[in-house]
Amino acid sequence: MNTRAAAAILFAALEPATRSAAADFFEGKTITISTYGAPGDSYDLYMRLLSRHIGRHIPGNPKLAVVNQPGGGGLTAINHAGVLAPRDGTFITVASQGLIIFEATGQRGLQASLGQFNWLGSFTQSNNVTVTWGDSKTKTIADAVARETIVGASGAAGGSSVGPAIYNAVLGTKFKLVYGYEGGAAIDLAMQRGEVEGRGTNTWASYVSVSPHFIKDKLIVPLLQVGLQKDPALPNVPLLRELARSPADQPLLDFMSKAVAVGRPIATTPGVPSERVEALRKAFDATLKDPLFIQEAEKERAEISAMTGAQLAQIIKELIEAPPEIKARV
């Protein structure tokens, strides 16, 4: 009995120390949440939503501050996170889906491998869509093959650039990219002004949350959706994986579809101690199940279909380490 009592006392003494390791660090700190999206776009919406709820789930209840770092289709923000930001758990960022393809294909400009980041999870696995504005003559993907269609894009690493470039090469579309828009909201405004006919890539969930009137009033026309399966709301919009023109194209289109499945991938910086990474992963998971978070997400029409940090890290690893012949083709 004495031995058992001593063991119980020892366990009770050690348990708080173990549980408070992350709390001791985060208490009194401010965690910076970075979004590469410009104010008002969907990435900005999701990250600000996260900032209002995740703090109470992180040990030590740190404060949260949001910063916008647009530029380069996500390169500016991810390079800051990978090279300049603190490596202690006090910096969280969101990566553009296009960056994963960007790194896998050996493009220049990425200063830290995405494989080095500590992935916390993803908000949503919503399909990407390529759309045109309602008055464009391009109404279907067949139309996009038949005629040149001008679409807006951010920078070279953004999904709005990478997607249409691959569709041109593999599907035979004639999308003409206009680069340099600060973010999704700027591209949407350019469509409305008639500067461009469409937007290269955006998640369907983003239109639902940020611009629901585009859907309700039929102001946009979805030409193509990219994901592992069709969105229930878009049963008549072709899925990229179904459009392979030859067996050699299928692995490439599957690669693209898997890259989109990462949704809105959230990470802290490389080099963060493992116990803090685990604390942040648990906090992210708990936040997405928090009734207050869910209530606000529903109010903002923000789709939530969560992916864990471990699942996300595995997908990113598989994409970066895909067979060389597939990456070369991409």
Side-chain angles (χ1 to χ4, degrees), residues 304-315:
I304 304 298
S305 51
M307 181 186 295
T308 69
Q311 292 171 325
L312 178 58
Q314 182 61 32
I315 290 177

Side-chain angles (χ1 to χ4, degrees), residues 69-119:
Q69 296 182 304
L75 275 175
T76 299
I78 205 72
N79 283 339
H80 177 90
V83 178
L84 299 175
R87 298 190 168 203
D88 59 3
T90 61
F91 196 91
I92 294 173
T93 193
V94 58
S96 160
Q97 295 170 344
L99 285 172
I100 301 168
I101 302 170
F102 197 76
E103 176 173 0
T105 56
Q107 306 302 307
R108 296 180 181 180
L110 192 61
Q111 297 173 14
S113 171
L114 297 176
Q116 297 174 356
F117 283 77
N118 291 292
W119 297 98

Side-chain angles (χ1 to χ4, degrees), residues 17 129 132 157 249 252 255 261 280 291-292 300:
V129 290
T132 52
D249 290 341
L252 181 145
F255 177 95
L280 291 173
L292 292 177
E300 297 280 358

Side-chain angles (χ1 to χ4, degrees), residues 272-283:
V272 176
S274 59
E275 71 274 7
R276 295 177 202 165
V277 173
E278 187 60 26
L280 291 173
R281 281 185 169 183
K282 288 181 178 178

Side-chain angles (χ1 to χ4, degrees), residues 129-161:
V129 290
T130 297
V131 305
T132 52
W133 197 244
D135 59 6
S136 170
K137 293 181 181 179
T138 300
K139 306 291 187 185
T140 66
I141 200 68
D143 292 339
V145 172
R147 66 181 296 271
E148 181 179 87
T149 305
I150 301 173
V151 296
S154 50
S160 58
S161 304

Side-chain angles (χ1 to χ4, degrees), residues 37 51 60 73 127 150 158 160 182 193-195 205 216 247 270 282 325:
S51 74
N127 285 359
I150 301 173
S160 58
E182 187 179 53
R193 289 174 172 170
E195 295 173 15
K216 180 182 177 182
K282 288 181 178 178
E325 61 273 17

